[in-house]
Amino acid sequence: EQNRKSMMEALNQYSSVKHVIGVASGKGGVGKSFVTAMLAVLLNRKGYKVGILDADITGPSIPKMFGISKRAEINELGFIPERTAGGIKLMSINLLLEQEDMPVIWRGPILAGTVKQFWTDVVWEDLDYLLIDMPPGTGDVPLTVFQSIPLDGIVIVSSPQDLVSMIVRKAYNMAKQMDIPVLGLVENMSSVKCPDCGKEINLFGESKLPAISREIGVDILGRLPIDPKLAELVDKGEFERFSSEYLADAVEKIEKL
Ligand code: ADP
């Protein structure tokens, strides 16, 4: 409680954030940014004020999904987040770099310091929900997020392979050790949706998700197929225009927090 209070006090002085939700994964490339962006858009469509803090410093992909490549303004109040067409506020290292294709070759403490600054120095103003695209894995930077940003809970995104290995359980155990509630699991890319007939094909056989969910006692919040229509929207930087409701249950759970 005391910790939470001091974390809240560290928030940028011109900002007030009601709920903070982390989107985590045991490893990269499983669709964590994709799920973060989808949740943000769905909440925004419901009329909430939403921001996305891209804490995936070495693999930032949020701005591109929304077609944003402008440099963020920095003024005497702090870093000013960019806004998507629909009004979602974004802060990402890619909005601060001189060239968005320059790699960030920084050691752990610098990465961690940047993530902290996205909480303390970004002028988020009033938000109902701040979604955090967490750095993947269980290293230095995710640890900093857990220790410096007051998360209300995390959503764990996994690929079918992670469910077989220990990766999901590692992500789950990290949150548990840090006393952060796990809101639930989202399985991504376990099936593919035919763009012509809409039929879903399970690429890896029957899902392991129900078994893992029972084992660790965490809800299933959704299953996302590989959807070529969504991939195309990502590539065009028009992700905000998607029209699928794969994560409706996850949104409902977040609204109840
Ligand atoms: P992570 O944040 O876990 O590293 P991303 O969200 O960047 O992963 O996803 C990796 C790539 O796969 C991105 O190009 C993303 O647009 C694409 N992708 C993820 N999930 C889906 C999906 N369900 N359908 C289509 N493309 C997807």
Side-chain angles (χ1 to χ4, degrees):
E1 253 333 285
Q2 196 52 45
N3 259 349
R4 228 190 126 71
K5 205 168 151 244
S6 63
M7 288 186 218
M8 247 330 159
E9 281 166 6
L11 176 65
N12 169 267
Q13 60 171 313
Y14 306 103
S15 304
S16 142
V17 176
K18 288 203 185 100
H19 297 286
V20 186
I21 316 290
V23 181
S25 66
K27 63 173 167 48
V30 300
K32 176 178 50 58
S33 307
F34 194 88
V35 168
T36 308
M38 195 173 248
L39 289 173
V41 173
L42 292 172
L43 286 163
N44 184 54
R45 282 185 192 158
K46 288 196 155 190
Y48 296 111
K49 291 189 209 115
V50 180
I52 303 177
L53 187 165
D54 186 359
D56 193 351
I57 306 285
T58 53
S61 46
I62 295 283
K64 210 177 158 289
M65 297 182 77
F66 291 96
I68 293 181
S69 55
K70 256 202 330 217
R71 296 274 298 280
E73 187 195 334
I74 302 174
N75 64 26
E76 66 285 358
L77 305 180
F79 300 163
I80 310 300
E82 280 300 322
R83 271 171 186 270
T84 68
I88 298 169
K89 290 180 182 167
L90 299 185
M91 184 47 73
S92 167
I93 193 69
N94 261 9
L95 302 176
L96 299 171
L97 295 174
E98 208 142 311
Q99 275 172 276
E100 58 175 2
D101 58 358
M102 286 308 281
V104 171
I105 312 172
W106 296 343
R107 292 193 190 277
I110 307 284
L111 295 174
T114 304
V115 166
K116 257 195 210 169
Q117 270 193 294
F118 284 176
W119 175 250
T120 57
D121 297 354
V122 171
V123 185
W124 294 107
E125 298 179 291
D126 285 346
L127 291 182
D128 295 307
Y129 295 101
L130 179 63
L131 297 173
I132 307 208
D133 188 357
M134 300 273 293
T138 53
D140 217 13
V141 193
L143 185 61
T144 299
V145 175
F146 280 121
Q147 289 178 334
S148 44
I149 302 179
L151 294 158
D152 291 292
I154 63 161
V155 171
I156 298 179
V157 183
S158 66
S159 67
Q161 293 92 331
D162 302 352
L163 291 171
V164 182
S165 62
M166 298 297 235
I167 292 174
V168 165
R169 270 170 277 181
K170 280 192 205 289
Y172 168 78
N173 284 328
M174 181 172 191
K176 234 180 108 178
Q177 280 181 30
M178 305 301 297
D179 278 325
I180 307 296
V182 176
L183 303 177
L185 301 171
V186 171
E187 186 182 41
N188 191 25
M189 304 201 260
S190 56
S191 62
V192 63
K193 189 168 179 173
C194 171
D196 298 323
C197 69
K199 190 180 155 140
E200 244 183 86
I201 299 158
N202 286 322
L203 294 164
F204 305 93
E206 208 181 310
S207 172
K208 316 287 182 300
L209 191 65
I212 305 272
S213 132
R214 269 195 306 274
E215 185 196 315
I216 59 181
V218 166
D219 288 349
I220 297 172
L221 294 180
R223 295 186 63 209
L224 284 164
I226 295 175
D227 186 335
K229 284 202 184 113
L230 292 177
E232 203 184 315
L233 288 176
V234 168
D235 291 343
K236 288 200 285 197
E238 295 175 1
F239 188 68
E240 226 163 0
R241 298 168 74 160
F242 75 79
S243 61
S244 54
E245 288 288 325
Y246 301 120
L247 294 178
D249 289 352
V251 168
E252 223 171 87
K253 178 124 191 191
I254 288 171
E255 280 185 288
K256 282 191 193 134
L257 281 175

